[in-house]
Amino acid sequence: AAPCDIYASGNTPCIAAHSTTRALYSAYTGALYQVKRGSDGTTTDISPLSAGGVANAAVQDKFCSSTTCLITIIYDQSGRGNHLKQAPPGGFKGPEANGYDNLASAVGAPVTLDGKKAYGVFMSPGTGYSNNAPSGTATGDEAEGMYAVLDGTHYNGACCFDYGNAEISSTDTGNGHMEAIYYGDNTIWGSGAGSGPWLMADLENGLFSGSSPANNPGDPSLSYRFVNAVLKGGPNKWALRAGNAASGSLSTYYNGARPSPSGYNPMSKEGAIILGIGGDNSNGAQGTFYEGVMTSGYPTDATENSVQANIVAAKYATASLTSGTALTVGSSISLRATTSGYTTHYIAHTGATINTQVVSSSSTTDLKKQASWTVRTGLANSACFSFESVDTPGSFIRHADFALVLAANDDTKALHEDATFCPQTGISGQGSSIRSWSYPTRYFRHFENTLYIASNGGVHEFDSATSFNDDVSWVISNGFA
Ligand code: AHR
Ligand code: AHR
């Protein structure tokens, strides 16, 4: 049995079932998600390898080879049509045209399930999915349950990395108008033990970790690479539970009455579905989603325990984030542009600005050093890399407002994440493309000889799709210095 078969036998059926990694019903053979590629704007659906099985990632890899791909739809497997699509503007606007949120890269969160490759949904700040015309979700004070399998190491403190029930208007319509899983280390409303990240319930105008609207020591900081986050709510009761999605069982962090501030009992749920954003389209949060469902009715702990066992049996594990030219930590490299007319240009820096400059064996020692980078283990993720300046040890290439700059490592989480990059086979077919770990839709790109992390089409000038594949493909060689 798969998760939604288990919920059905507990008389709390799934009314929404979302996953880019696997089927959530043992008989499901339909589409899991849709990707859209940058080369020609066409889309394709990714389905399971077999009924109830893991996603056929090879179809995505082939469709997206030598271009970029975005996840455009996460299909609802329940048959109710509760698909998740690019979230529209609400109380807050997203970064894309007309205030829409960003879509996620299709390659930011590779994993294996029982050894088979699949892709999760890696959501950078600005990314969001929703469905504001749902069918069968809980409204008012109706009972519901939900779980989500997330990357417990990918989070931030911005509002709000959520999955679950929210306002159909994408605006804040008041306390109790949401009931969604939250994951991160936001402390504006509530918090748990330690410094986070925590599983909390986003009930609108509050992230709740237990009965107190503030700190609840029973809600622990979590550090599982794969976390199963569970939330359920019914008339004057709700519970928060979680566990390691790769082994063991669930723990209950809270099980009790609704919070006392007005508006949360009874609830006024509206039934829209959100992923990666707050109820009002607050979109500063980040996180990674692999699978999740919402149910009708209040699942028993026993049902949720069986679902946890099923998730563990699916055997989630990490997969390589890189491909192409292998890099050796500690070595010095230089990166040459491949765009016609720029093939003598290398990535260098002038002060804090990262740019391209013409460099050769007869260049000055200073310029050679400015164009040489020591490969370091990724500051935010050891499966990727960071690039330290040869002439300014202690300073790294990072992005800031999507421009690449040279910055001293201040050992903050923000610097570490902004300075972590995952090289992959060059998108043009030549060399390597250097993908931002934290914004995997974005790659090292030269634009008017200045370096950015650019997406293949987008709102910035430097996101121009013209010449994108060549501008993001670099030949990596031994460093000049
Ligand atoms: O409840 C926390 C957040 O507050 C909600 O997600 C959002 O709608 C509001 O800003
Ligand atoms: O470069 C994009 C973002 O801009 C970085 O993550 C952040 O540090 C800055 O605000």
Side-chain angles (χ1 to χ4, degrees), residues 428-450:
S428 72
Q430 218 192 332
S432 296
S433 291
I434 317 295
R435 190 174 75 243
S436 163
W437 173 80
S438 53
Y439 288 83
T441 58
R442 298 183 169 278
Y443 295 82
F444 275 24
R445 189 226 184 116
H446 63 103
F447 190 84
E448 291 169 356
N449 292 323
T450 301

Side-chain angles (χ1 to χ4, degrees), residues 106-130:
V107 299
V111 288
T112 58
L113 279 73
D114 199 16
K116 301 183 188 80
K117 190 178 181 190
Y119 293 99
V121 188
F122 186 106
M123 301 181 72
S124 311
T127 309
Y129 293 83
S130 65

Side-chain angles (χ1 to χ4, degrees), residues 159-160 162 172 178 189 202-207 278-280 282:
C159 178
C160 290
D162 287 354
D172 180 349
M178 297 177 63
W189 295 281
D202 190 343
L203 304 181
E204 189 52 276
N205 300 313
L207 301 177
D280 55 6
S282 298

